[in-house]
Amino acid sequence: MENTMQLSRRGLFKLAGAGTLGVIGAGALAGCAPSASTGTNLSETGAEVNQHDYSNYETKEMEAYAVVAGGGAAGLLAAYTLAKAGKKPLILEKGASCASSNFARLSGPAACETAVQEASGITLATKLNVYNQLTTWAKGSVNTKLIRNLLEHSSEAVQDMLDAGLSFYTYVDYTGDPKYADDIKWAPLHNFTEEGEERINPIVEAIESMGGTFIYNCEAVEVLMEGEAVAGLRAIENNDTLLEVATKAVFLATGGFGGSEEMTHDLFNGIPLCNMGTPTNTGDGIRMAQEVGAVSEEFAALVGNEICGSNVKHGNAMYDENWNLSNENLGFAIYGGLVVDSAGDRFMNEELLAVDPLVYSGQAGLAQGRYYVLVDGEYYDACTQIGVYQYLGEPDWDFGREMFYPVLSNAPGQFEQAVSQGWACKGDSIAEVAEVFGLANLEKTVEEYNKLCVAGDDTEFGKDPMFLTPIKEDCGYYLFEYNSAYWTTLGGIRTNDHLVALNEDGEPIPGLYIGGVNMGSAFCRPYYDIKGAACGLSMSSGVLGAKEMMSHIDGLVA
């Protein structure tokens, strides 16, 4: 069924709240309404209930074979797969273009058994090896059959992007070091060569050339049901027009809830967080699914900021369009120095922040809310003049070799800004800087930490000796406060292994499919240690979800 559109007369439907619809076309949505949500829901801890009053909107009536809500990694791959099969999908994107999504900027997907890997000589990243790494990391908290199904479509997702005209390079290609071919954390990663519109436009153009339709500045607001099955979707276009779309399948891939202050506050217990991702990702897909009876997994997590530290007092905007840090003093969070909690006590192996910040930078903030990094004046000067990697003697530290900001040369000139914003201080004694942030145990912690450094053996947390640098006396002290920042959130709707949303009884909701980071059953806390896992699983969910939708719709016709 091709997409069709016509403008109805104003007020044709009485569309306030969850009211019952009238007839669209030949009665396609007669008697349809959203079901009441029951069971364990993220909405109970922050998702806003739909309170739209549609009575003053102009109304457009449409029909679509399938509707994709969200134009990110999952949504675009779902639309591409549908269009490739000749099914002419309708894609609703809340932003002004699909280039507004995280997918336009992130490094790339983790995938397995692809033509790109074959060309790079990577054989480690098999479906079985990647499956074992993901499910072992998740410790039974994910739907393992779903993970397997997603990985089955991983290679196809990458090939679709190649067919659309995009290109990838592996970390083996980038570094010239074959060791990354034998590291399961790196071997699956496919970095996009293109970024922004150069990445997104070829995909969109390919979908449109195969019959897909995009509507931008269009917020999906409500899934419509006929009995127990999906029968349509409501959306608001340009803040003034109500779309009424009759369809038998809806794919919700709206990009998580990171742009919702209420949801992030409630789901992360009020912990201060910085959102580096898309501000339009406000939990719409999660809320819509819950309103028709879907339940959510009982966790929420972050894909953390691996570029630098962050602080809400500084704000979400940490870099410019060329990735220059707005304040390079943010960098000390992930350089392997002494890290303490709000009492001034060590609480973790700081090495983890230095070697794998993508996983652990977000988790440290979630565990502590605020954490603090203390460096002496010599360490600070070294980081701003020659760089921490050279200062530490160029140790065996992969991230250190490829740091985003190897030398924080602008930090001294930006330090007073950090002080004025309230997340940094400098003093002549440890007691002086500790008093600024109320770190009562910091002096004692430094004394004990220095003993470990001299011995070269961290018997408290197991930090590698290469990072055991004593806090030196008589050269001044710098203390920084950091919070977690995230590219996107993880956690959402529970699904079966076919990506169909489940209700509180564990029964599928026919026609309702969940993709991307809204897939509560595909992710865990903390984030996976395979680079590009969120993007890769999201892309695969688009391919899998589209195939499942076609099977569902074509089965109804048969």
Side-chain angles (χ1 to χ4, degrees):
M1 175 167 44
E2 295 186 6
N3 297 336
T4 60
M5 181 186 302
Q6 63 182 33
L7 184 65
S8 70
R9 65 182 183 276
R10 194 178 186 88
L12 176 62
F13 302 115
K14 304 301 182 183
L15 299 170
T20 303
L21 283 175
V23 177
I24 291 183
L29 296 184
C32 302
S35 304
S37 177
T38 57
T40 303
N41 289 321
L42 292 179
S43 62
E44 296 171 359
T45 55
E48 296 180 2
V49 176
N50 178 21
Q51 297 294 336
H52 284 291
D53 178 355
Y54 305 122
S55 58
N56 292 321
Y57 286 98
E58 200 76 27
T59 304
K60 291 182 181 179
E61 305 168 25
M62 303 180 67
E63 292 182 349
Y65 177 85
V67 177
V68 176
L76 287 176
L77 267 294
Y80 188 95
T81 303
L82 288 165
K84 186 170 62 173
K87 300 302 184 180
K88 299 183 180 180
L90 173 65
I91 306 95
L92 308 180
E93 166 54 40
K94 191 175 182 180
S97 76
C98 293
S100 64
S101 72
N102 284 333
F103 185 52
R105 297 182 296 154
L106 52 76
S107 58
C112 45
E113 301 180 14
T114 69
V116 176
Q117 289 165 328
E118 182 179 2
S120 297
I122 296 174
T123 59
L124 179 71
T126 64
K127 289 192 287 285
L128 181 58
N129 287 344
V130 175
Y131 169 85
N132 284 336
Q133 184 74 9
L134 295 176
T135 56
T136 299
W137 181 267
K139 293 180 171 56
S141 62
V142 296
N143 182 330
T144 55
K145 191 174 180 182
L146 173 59
I147 296 297
R148 180 64 187 182
N149 285 352
L150 291 171
L151 294 178
E152 288 287 346
H153 295 85
S154 170
S155 179
E156 182 177 347
V158 168
Q159 188 59 50
D160 284 343
M161 296 296 91
L162 293 171
D163 293 343
L166 302 184
S167 57
F168 299 93
Y169 61 92
T170 68
Y171 216 66
V172 175
D173 304 325
Y174 176 67
T175 64
D177 193 337
K179 77 173 187 177
Y180 293 102
D182 298 317
D183 187 338
I184 193 61
K185 294 182 180 181
W186 290 97
L189 177 60
H190 293 62
N191 290 286
F192 280 108
T193 303
E194 302 83 6
E195 186 177 352
E197 292 185 358
E198 292 183 357
R199 180 184 303 176
I200 298 301
N201 289 347
I203 310 172
V204 171
E205 290 168 4
I207 293 167
E208 290 178 330
S209 71
M210 294 184 288
T213 299
F214 287 82
I215 302 178
Y216 299 109
N217 298 310
C218 188
E219 178 183 359
V221 294
E222 198 168 1
V223 176
L224 299 168
M225 307 292 288
E226 185 170 21
E228 300 298 319
V230 167
L233 185 76
R234 286 177 176 151
I236 304 296
E237 181 183 4
N238 294 323
N239 295 317
D240 61 11
T241 302
L242 177 71
L243 300 186
E244 294 281 357
V245 187
T247 187
K248 295 299 183 183
V250 170
F251 186 69
L252 297 178
T254 55
F257 56 89
S260 169
E261 292 185 7
E262 183 177 4
M263 289 185 73
T264 54
H265 177 278
D266 291 349
L267 290 166
F268 296 121
N269 301 313
I271 291 171
L273 298 166
C274 294
N275 179 18
M276 298 173 67
T278 306
T280 54
N281 294 348
T282 54
D284 303 337
I286 295 171
R287 172 188 55 76
M288 286 187 286
Q290 290 169 344
E291 287 178 354
V292 295
V295 296
S296 296
E297 298 290 356
E298 298 177 357
F299 83 99
L302 304 175
V303 177
N305 161 35
E306 80 279 29
I307 289 180
C308 59
S310 55
N311 191 291
V312 295
K313 298 172 185 175
H314 175 73
N316 296 335
M318 291 173 234
Y319 50 85
D320 62 22
E321 64 276 5
N322 296 316
W323 298 95
N324 298 309
L325 272 180
S326 54
N327 193 314
E328 291 185 357
N329 291 284
L330 294 168
F332 290 95
I334 57 175
Y335 283 10
L338 175 63
V339 178
V340 300
D341 61 17
S342 58
D345 296 321
R346 289 182 75 199
F347 63 92
M348 70 175 296
N349 178 353
E350 300 95 337
E351 174 190 354
L352 298 175
L353 287 172
V355 301
D356 206 349
L358 182 62
V359 174
Y360 293 104
S361 64
Q363 195 60 25
L366 288 181
Q368 301 298 325
R370 299 175 179 86
Y371 60 98
Y372 301 83
V373 173
L374 176 71
V375 299
D376 59 58
E378 179 184 306
Y379 192 100
Y380 186 89
D381 290 344
C383 290
T384 61
Q385 295 170 16
I386 63 174
V388 66
Y389 185 60
Q390 184 174 335
Y391 178 65
L392 295 179
E394 300 186 359
D396 184 17
W397 178 19
D398 290 342
F399 186 83
R401 293 188 187 94
E402 306 294 340
M403 298 183 81
F404 293 99
Y405 308 102
V407 182
L408 301 174
S409 57
N410 294 315
Q414 298 166 337
F415 183 76
E416 288 305 317
Q417 180 197 51
V419 174
S420 67
Q421 291 173 341
W423 56 275
C425 66
K426 179 183 178 182
D428 294 327
S429 69
I430 295 173
E432 183 181 352
V433 295
E435 184 178 3
V436 174
F437 293 109
L439 309 186
N441 300 333
L442 185 59
E443 288 183 281
K444 181 180 178 181
T445 296
V446 171
E447 180 181 352
E448 296 174 347
Y449 178 71
N450 280 348
K451 292 178 181 178
L452 299 175
C453 292
V454 171
D457 184 12
D458 182 7
T459 56
E460 291 186 346
F461 293 98
K463 187 176 184 178
D464 192 290
M466 69 181 180
F467 291 112
L468 288 174
T469 303
I471 304 296
K472 298 176 179 62
E473 298 180 353
D474 302 324
C475 52
Y477 303 93
Y478 294 78
L479 185 63
F480 301 97
E481 179 187 77
Y482 297 112
N483 313 120
S484 287
Y486 56 90
W487 298 108
T488 189
T489 57
L490 299 171
I493 301 301
R494 182 176 299 168
T495 72
N496 63 14
D497 52 288
H498 301 288
L499 291 178
V500 184
L502 300 178
N503 64 22
E504 64 175 344
D505 297 320
E507 296 296 326
I509 300 174
L512 185 59
Y513 297 84
I514 309 297
V517 294
N518 288 339
M519 296 185 292
S521 301
F523 293 103
C524 59
R525 178 172 173 179
Y527 178 50
Y528 294 117
D529 62 345
I530 289 182
K531 318 303 177 185
C535 179
L537 293 177
S538 294
M539 287 173 56
S540 296
S541 76
V543 179
L544 174 61
K547 292 182 178 181
E548 295 292 347
M549 287 192 287
M550 287 187 283
S551 178
H552 168 69
I553 297 168
D554 295 349
L556 293 175
V557 174

